[in-house]
């Protein structure tokens, strides 16, 4: 079955630690995205990538980093510079060029800072 | 002003009724609009896309777009308890490489 796999589903982090969230897709989609969702709020864009080896900052990129070495993979690192990292992180993908805004989401990763 | 605003919830309707969810947007460059359904604790799921003025129907769901008024809506006919979820409105611009701006969502409860 095609889809997007995020791991881990739940993650606890101590302050000062970096953590990496995995996102893998087998939909053959060109574009991939990372969104953050806080309770009772909509999604805010962290980073996105339209093509391998290229990515752009979204609206709230500070304290995060990404890489896109393979079409299928778009990992997100939450660094110690992110002041309030506790949130629900969603990875998504879309087909570029046609209906580019139709996003397919993974199941999400819930990060809690202890 | 937020780029995408949704009518404040929560919204409660009886089973079998029509649920009406509304959304306004400020960016006139937005060309495409989407409705996502998000069950509690789960990730969003795309249920409707609309790109041109007018209505688009898919089963019990009808999306309406009025670009002149910068208004998007979602109607759910014959609401079922399984429709109880948070509905997210999102707008995308063809110049923004598929980035979507999301509203904060409206929580719908359908009471049996």
């Amino acid at each position: 079955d095609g889809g997007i796999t995020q791991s881990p589903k739940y993650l606890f982090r101590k302050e000062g630690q970096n953590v990496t969230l995995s996102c893998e897709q087998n939909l053959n989609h060109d574009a991939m995205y990372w969104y953050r969702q806080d309770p009772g709020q909509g999604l805010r864009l962290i980073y996105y990538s339209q093509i391998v080896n290229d990515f752009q900052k979204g609206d709230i990129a500070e304290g995060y980093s990404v890489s896109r070495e393979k079409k299928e993979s778009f990992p997100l690192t939450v660094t110690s510079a992110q002041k309030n990292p506790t949130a629900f992180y969603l990875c998504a993908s879309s087909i570029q060029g046609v209906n580019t805004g139709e996003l397919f989401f993974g199941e999400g990763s819930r990060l809690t800072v202890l | 002003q937020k780029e995408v605003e949704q009518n404040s919830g929560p919204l409660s309707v009886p089973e079998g009724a029509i649920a009406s969810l509304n959304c306004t947007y400020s960016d006139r460059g937005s060309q495409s609009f989407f409705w996502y359904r998000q069950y509690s604790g789960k990730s969003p799921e795309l249920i409707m896309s609309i790109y041109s003025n007018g209505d688009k129907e898919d089963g019990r769901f009808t999306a309406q777009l009025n670009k002149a008024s910068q208004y998007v809506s979602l109607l759910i006919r014959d609401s079922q308890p399984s429709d109880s979820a948070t509905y997210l409105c999102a707008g995308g611009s063809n110049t923004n490489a598929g980035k979507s701006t999301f509203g904060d969502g409206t929580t719908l409860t359908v009471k049996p």
Side-chain angles (χ1 to χ4, degrees):
Chain A
D1 286 327
I4 300 175
T5 301
Q6 288 187 240
S7 62
K9 284 191 175 181
Y10 299 93
L11 184 61
F12 298 89
R13 190 196 90 174
K14 293 181 179 179
E15 286 194 25
Q17 286 182 334
N18 293 353
V19 294
T20 297
L21 308 180
S22 170
C23 179
E24 302 277 333
Q25 57 103 355
N26 59 6
L27 299 168
N28 200 33
H29 286 174
D30 292 311
M32 297 187 73
Y33 311 81
W34 275 104
Y35 283 90
R36 168 182 171 144
Q37 186 175 36
D38 293 284
Q41 297 187 27
L43 280 61
R44 292 184 290 166
L45 183 63
I46 304 172
Y47 269 97
Y48 67 102
S49 168
Q50 297 171 259
I51 195 169
V52 174
N53 292 323
D54 188 46
F55 48 84
Q56 287 77 39
K57 293 182 179 180
D59 300 318
I60 56 165
E62 185 176 352
Y64 300 98
S65 65
V66 294
S67 63
R68 186 86 186 275
E69 298 177 0
K70 299 186 300 181
K71 185 176 183 178
E72 301 79 18
S73 179
F74 192 41
L76 173 74
T77 296
V78 184
T79 75
S80 56
Q82 169 51 234
K83 297 305 178 187
N84 186 21
T86 295
F88 189 39
Y89 290 88
L90 290 156
C91 179
S93 68
S94 69
I95 300 173
Q96 275 298 90
V98 177
N99 298 338
T100 57
E102 294 186 350
L103 298 174
F104 295 84
F105 287 91
E107 293 187 339
S109 293
R110 203 169 295 275
L111 173 62
T112 303
V113 172
L114 303 174
Chain B
Q1 180 189 7
K2 298 192 70 170
E3 287 189 40
V4 176
E5 296 211 35
Q6 297 187 236
N7 54 325
S8 60
L11 177 65
S12 180
V13 300
E15 184 174 356
I18 296 175
S20 177
L21 305 164
N22 303 314
C23 175
T24 58
Y25 62 94
S26 59
D27 181 5
R28 286 197 173 271
S30 295
Q31 298 293 323
S32 49
F33 299 89
F34 311 93
W35 284 99
Y36 293 85
R37 177 178 61 202
Q38 185 175 26
Y39 291 115
S40 181
K42 303 296 185 181
S43 60
E45 172 191 14
L46 178 69
I47 55 171
M48 288 289 283
S49 307
I50 187 164
Y51 302 94
S52 55
N53 278 329
D55 296 358
K56 179 183 177 183
E57 187 174 319
D58 184 2
R60 296 186 295 110
F61 298 95
T62 299
Q64 299 173 317
L65 173 59
N66 184 326
K67 290 187 177 181
S69 300
Q70 297 177 247
Y71 177 86
V72 191
S73 67
L74 178 70
L75 298 178
I76 306 174
R77 292 182 301 281
D78 188 23
S79 295
Q80 301 297 309
S82 59
D83 295 326
S84 298
T86 295
Y87 290 81
L88 300 168
C89 172
S93 169
N94 289 340
T95 62
N96 282 342
K99 295 188 318 179
S100 286
T101 300
F102 284 79
D104 287 342
T106 299
T107 298
L108 170 67
T109 300
V110 180
K111 296 188 174 181

